[in-house]
Amino acid sequence: MKRALILIGLMLLAVVAAGCINSTGTETGTSETKLIIFHAGSLSLPLKNLEDEFTKYAEENLKTRVTFQDEASGSVKAVRKVTDLGKKADIVATADYTLIPQMLVPNYTDFYVLFATNEIVIAFTNRSKYANQINSNNWYEILAKPDVSFGFSDPNQDPCGYRSVMVTKLADLYYGKPIFETLIEKNTNIIANGTHIYAPKEIQVKDKRVVIRPKETDLTGLVESGSLDYYFIYKSVAEQHHLRYITLPDEISLRDFKKGSYYGQVSITIGSTGKTIKAKPIVYGITVLRNAPHKKLALEFLRYLLGENGKKTFKENYQDFLNPPIAFGNVPEEIRDLVKVER
């Protein structure tokens, strides 16, 4: 009898608990959702800051507790997680917006937004060899020295990688010197025919002075520790990590929208995808996938990112934001008032 009463009491407690907790195990009136974001490594800091803010906003205004599962990688790899590996995600954000229309439209999404910009710089620390001599006019001479190491990310996985390689070819045109041959062709199996570059699927390094990693931010720690002297990186990342850096002429840095046709003289074919990409001003893109597990909430986060909160957060992380962001395709109503829709 005593045991039966105990069991009945436990059952009653379970019923009461069930009334106080919803299906996701949170307090009544508040749901819990995980958003999965595949994104470029250079977006890691601004996205993390924005996600922290959105978590508070969502709990207060949407009655939803949001957690984020971020997967940072090179942008090509981020897209291929969806297209090749069939992995589920809510949002994909790339450092090269063209990857979205090239690889995700129309099978995986029907819209995308251009929202932020950047430029390529060469970053280093006080411990880097010739740190007090390098400048915007002699950088290629410093990198060519036999006692200097430098790096860039893998062109097959990361836009910063193929942009860095194209920057050296643009430098050929600007300075009238064989900079691509000296820095890239002699040290790797990446080759060029005129102004067209080919990056094999399996990139080989011929000289230990040159270091290649899957994404641009993988090299940051090597430079900070003094293991690597210099690397090609986005200006925002250099500033986020308080690195020294030199800016490159507008004809090389991929920052100037007015020089799009000039940049377009140089192109690269990526071995991993077979796609040919022309050099162009750096613009980031973002989309919510058609089969996003939590599409409605993902659109809420996208709206938050494209609004004043996102602009403020990106500015605090030294990254320029398009004003207004530019959207293409079947643009959702949730963000139409925040973007300029292009056809």
Side-chain angles (χ1 to χ4, degrees), residues 3 31 42 141 227 270 312 325:
R3 179 180 294 179
S31 62
S42 56
E141 296 172 346
S227 301
I270 306 299
K312 175 176 173 290

Side-chain angles (χ1 to χ4, degrees), residues 27-320:
E27 293 178 8
T28 302
T30 303
S31 62
E32 186 167 341
T33 305
K34 178 188 288 184
L35 287 180
I36 303 170
I37 303 180
F38 298 163
H39 64 82
S42 56
L43 289 173
S44 294
L45 282 179
L47 279 183
K48 177 63 171 64
N49 293 348
L50 200 63
E51 288 165 1
D52 289 344
E53 294 176 13
F54 182 77
T55 298
K56 298 174 184 176
Y57 168 84
E59 188 157 3
E60 293 173 2
N61 298 278
L62 307 177
K63 303 305 178 187
T64 301
R65 288 181 180 170
V66 184
T67 57
F68 287 88
Q69 179 181 318
D70 289 312
E71 294 191 20
S73 66
S75 295
V76 177
K77 185 176 181 180
V79 170
R80 294 183 72 189
K81 286 178 184 179
V82 177
T83 60
D84 296 6
L85 302 180
K87 296 184 72 173
K88 292 289 186 183
D90 294 289
I91 292 171
V92 175
T94 63
D96 182 351
Y97 80 89
T98 63
L99 295 174
I100 300 176
Q102 282 184 354
M103 300 174 71
L104 292 176
V105 175
N107 294 331
Y108 303 94
T109 189
D110 58 3
F111 84 98
Y112 55 99
V113 182
L114 287 57
F115 70 99
T117 65
N118 225 317
E119 65 181 280
I120 298 292
V121 301
I122 298 172
F124 56 100
T125 69
N126 290 332
R127 288 185 286 182
S128 301
K129 296 182 182 69
Y130 309 103
N132 293 325
Q133 297 180 32
I134 193 169
N135 58 48
S136 298
N137 297 315
N138 69 5
W139 61 270
Y140 54 90
E141 296 172 346
I142 298 295
L143 297 190
K145 289 182 179 291
D147 58 339
V148 169
S149 61
F150 69 92
F152 54 92
S153 55
D154 185 351
N156 284 295
Q157 301 188 49
D158 187 32
C160 192
Y162 57 69
R163 285 167 170 157
S164 299
V165 171
M166 289 194 286
V167 157
T168 64
K169 178 53 73 174
L170 284 168
D172 281 9
L173 304 179
Y174 182 74
Y175 296 104
K177 297 180 179 181
I179 295 167
F180 174 87
E181 179 185 356
T182 301
L183 298 181
I184 307 298
E185 209 161 44
K186 286 184 177 179
N187 295 314
T188 73
N189 61 343
I190 301 171
I191 60 174
N193 181 9
T195 57
H196 181 73
I197 303 164
Y198 178 71
K201 185 175 182 180
E202 300 295 334
I203 293 178
Q204 299 169 2
V205 174
K206 302 175 184 177
D207 190 321
K208 64 181 182 180
R209 295 191 311 111
V210 177
V211 178
I212 300 176
R213 291 289 185 269
K215 62 181 184 291
E216 75 282 349
T217 49
D218 292 337
L219 295 160
T220 303
L222 298 179
V223 173
E224 290 175 324
S225 69
S227 301
L228 186 66
D229 291 313
Y230 300 92
Y231 75 136
F232 292 87
I233 189 62
Y234 295 122
K235 181 180 177 181
S236 65
V237 177
E239 294 198 342
Q240 288 163 11
H241 290 269
H242 309 294
L243 295 171
R244 292 179 63 183
Y245 64 88
I246 60 161
T247 57
L248 300 171
D250 286 352
E251 290 81 358
I252 298 173
S253 67
L254 304 180
R255 69 176 293 273
D256 191 344
F257 280 79
K258 296 177 182 177
K259 291 184 167 52
S261 59
Y262 180 87
Y263 298 150
Q265 297 177 88
V266 173
S267 59
I268 186 169
T269 297
I270 306 299
S272 61
T273 65
K275 303 276 187 186
T276 295
I277 299 166
K278 280 189 174 184
K280 62 182 72 66
I282 296 170
V283 184
Y284 287 65
I286 190 168
T287 188
V288 174
L289 297 178
R290 177 180 284 115
N291 295 323
H294 305 100
K295 191 169 185 177
K296 184 177 180 181
L297 188 61
L299 286 169
E300 287 280 1
F301 178 69
L302 179 57
R303 179 175 177 80
Y304 194 84
L305 182 150
L306 296 174
E308 292 303 317
N309 296 288
K311 292 175 185 176
K312 175 176 173 290
T313 298
F314 272 76
K315 183 178 181 181
E316 290 171 350
N317 284 276
Y318 311 103
Q319 191 157 3
D320 292 332

